[in-house]
Amino acid sequence: MKSAAIVGATLLVVAACGTNKQEGGTAGGDCDTSKGTLTVGVVAPLSGNLSALGIGIKQSAELAVDEANKKCTVKGYKLAVSAQDDEANPAKGAQAATKLATDPNVVGVVGTLNSSVAQTVQPILRDKKIPQVSPANTNPSLTRGNDFLTAPKRQFDNYFRVCATDDLQGPYAANYLVEKAGKKKIAIVTDGKTYGAGLAAELSKQVSKKGGTIVGQETVGEKDTDFSGVIAKIKALAPEAVYYGGEYPAAGPLSKQMASAGLNVPLMGGDGIFDGKYIELGGKEGDLATSVGAPTESLATAKAFVDAYKAKFGKEDYAAYGAFSYDAANAIIGSLAKTVDGAAWDESKRDSMLTNVGSFGPRRRC
């Protein structure tokens, strides 16, 4: 985090997921685009409370496409971005995916942000064999099925991601709280959505393994603004920390209201609160967050991305998932270049696209 208001307990197990784009084509000069235009889709929240994250995803994908066009990466073609607003809503996500799936020139989709939205988007894109690479989905079931711990089974061969999953992030947070921060009594609050509930469940299991206790669990609405009732309940349980499974629009005010109510314990959350907006909305000194990869600014391999993003978009922030989106878009672009290799594109090549994305390297699939 850029502010000292959050102590970032950063998940380092996927440091190798930093920006590692594959370049192709020739640098500089005019490109042969005689075969037409192919489209990289984006599905993300471009409006609403999570739009800061969604815009970072969209613009980072646009940067990857612009760079590919300048370098003539996909021989014979110009690339374009079609960004669809899912409003962080599963039904809207399904509509966005349907729109992209009906376009024969869509070669892949970057997205989604929310795991709950991904659940509606996956089958729509799968039916058209369109590769989907998420920069941000963390629910393990999306790649390994509901029994991911005991009987993992891949359900969607078109779906990939470039970020860590909650069965890594949740236990990491639990280990930090119990072993490093010395917090043995933990209360859980979630927004009830797929992401928040799943992340909290993974944390809860690990807290128990480490000798800690989950003293209580409450659910709030993601659009709630008054948390006094929930805070009163968990305050009576005397927790040493509160873990929030959800995103920053509710987490920031929750932390602020906890302090006002005299519940002076740290609030911890996952990558859903790992954003400067959390601080603006009330996140306080001593709160904690994990993320799904090493901080972008700390990676030497990400410097080119950071510099290029700032040059293109000025002071706008690429937010928590910008570098991940850049990598996701480049995985699609690199796979497309390998699939087409100067030949004409048609929908029958989507089978090859899936194979090429899937073999693009472990750093694309972590």
Side-chain angles (χ1 to χ4, degrees):
M1 298 300 294
K2 295 179 181 178
S3 168
I6 286 185
V7 181
T10 306
L11 183 60
L12 297 177
V13 296
V14 290
C17 289
T19 50
N20 300 289
K21 68 184 181 66
Q22 179 169 316
E23 298 178 355
T26 58
D30 295 328
C31 301
D32 172 18
T33 59
S34 59
K35 291 184 173 67
T37 300
L38 298 177
T39 301
V40 176
V42 174
V43 179
L46 305 179
S47 62
N49 289 337
L50 297 177
S51 61
L53 300 177
I55 290 171
I57 290 171
K58 168 183 172 287
Q59 292 185 164
S60 298
E62 289 174 342
L63 175 61
V65 165
D66 285 352
E67 290 180 347
N69 282 333
K70 290 176 182 177
K71 295 174 182 176
C72 313
T73 300
V74 182
K75 297 176 183 178
Y77 288 95
K78 178 182 178 181
L79 300 181
V81 172
S82 177
Q84 305 298 318
D85 185 6
D86 64 26
E87 301 177 28
N89 179 294
K92 296 288 186 179
Q95 294 173 10
T98 299
K99 181 177 180 179
L100 292 171
T102 58
D103 184 346
N105 291 321
V106 169
V107 296
V109 172
V110 175
T112 59
L113 169 68
N114 303 87
S115 293
S116 56
V117 177
Q119 289 171 325
T120 64
V121 168
Q122 281 179 313
I124 295 170
L125 297 182
R126 185 268 315 274
D127 289 347
K128 290 290 188 176
K129 298 183 179 180
I130 298 173
Q132 175 186 356
V133 186
S134 172
N137 295 157
T138 59
N139 189 278
S141 67
L142 296 172
T143 45
R144 288 176 277 153
N146 291 330
D147 298 324
F148 59 88
L149 287 177
T150 57
K153 183 178 180 181
R154 187 171 179 81
Q155 299 179 81
F156 298 95
D157 62 357
N158 67 309
Y159 178 85
F160 307 86
R161 58 175 135 209
V162 291
C163 60
T165 51
D166 293 336
D167 55 324
L168 294 171
Q169 187 176 192
Y172 183 94
N175 292 345
Y176 187 92
L177 275 178
V178 176
E179 296 180 335
K180 292 189 177 180
K183 310 298 183 183
K184 304 291 186 182
K185 298 170 63 179
I186 301 163
I188 291 176
V189 179
T190 77
D191 62 7
K193 295 195 300 182
T194 301
Y195 162 71
L199 183 56
E202 295 302 319
L203 172 119
S204 179
K205 289 185 287 188
Q206 187 71 3
V207 166
S208 297
K209 289 180 182 179
K210 292 296 180 179
T213 302
I214 302 299
V215 295
Q217 184 161 340
E218 299 291 334
T219 302
V220 299
E222 60 173 319
K223 296 183 179 180
D224 287 354
T225 57
D226 182 358
F227 303 103
S228 56
V230 164
I231 292 172
K233 290 180 181 178
I234 59 178
K235 183 180 179 182
L237 302 172
E240 297 170 341
V242 173
Y243 188 83
Y244 181 72
E247 294 145 336
Y248 62 77
L254 174 61
S255 178
K256 183 177 181 179
Q257 291 176 36
M258 282 169 49
S260 297
L263 183 55
N264 296 309
V265 300
L267 182 145
M268 187 176 197
D271 56 299
I273 76 168
F274 191 75
D275 192 90
K277 291 285 184 182
Y278 173 76
I279 299 167
E280 294 177 19
L281 292 170
K284 61 186 182 299
E285 184 74 26
D287 285 355
L288 298 150
T290 54
S291 190
V292 289
T296 301
E297 309 82 53
S298 74
L299 296 171
T301 52
K303 186 178 185 304
F305 160 74
V306 173
D307 291 345
Y309 191 97
K310 289 180 178 178
K312 183 174 179 61
F313 298 108
K315 295 181 179 179
E316 292 187 56
D317 193 359
Y318 46 82
Y321 306 105
F324 296 88
S325 176
Y326 181 73
D327 273 357
N330 274 299
I332 292 171
I333 294 166
S335 301
L336 175 65
K338 183 178 179 180
T339 299
V340 173
D341 195 23
W345 166 265
D346 59 65
E347 289 181 274
S348 68
K349 287 187 168 56
R350 285 177 174 165
D351 280 322
S352 297
M353 276 291 294
L354 293 182
T355 300
N356 289 332
V357 171
S359 63
F360 206 69
R363 285 183 284 189
R364 299 294 183 195
R365 295 181 283 127
C366 54

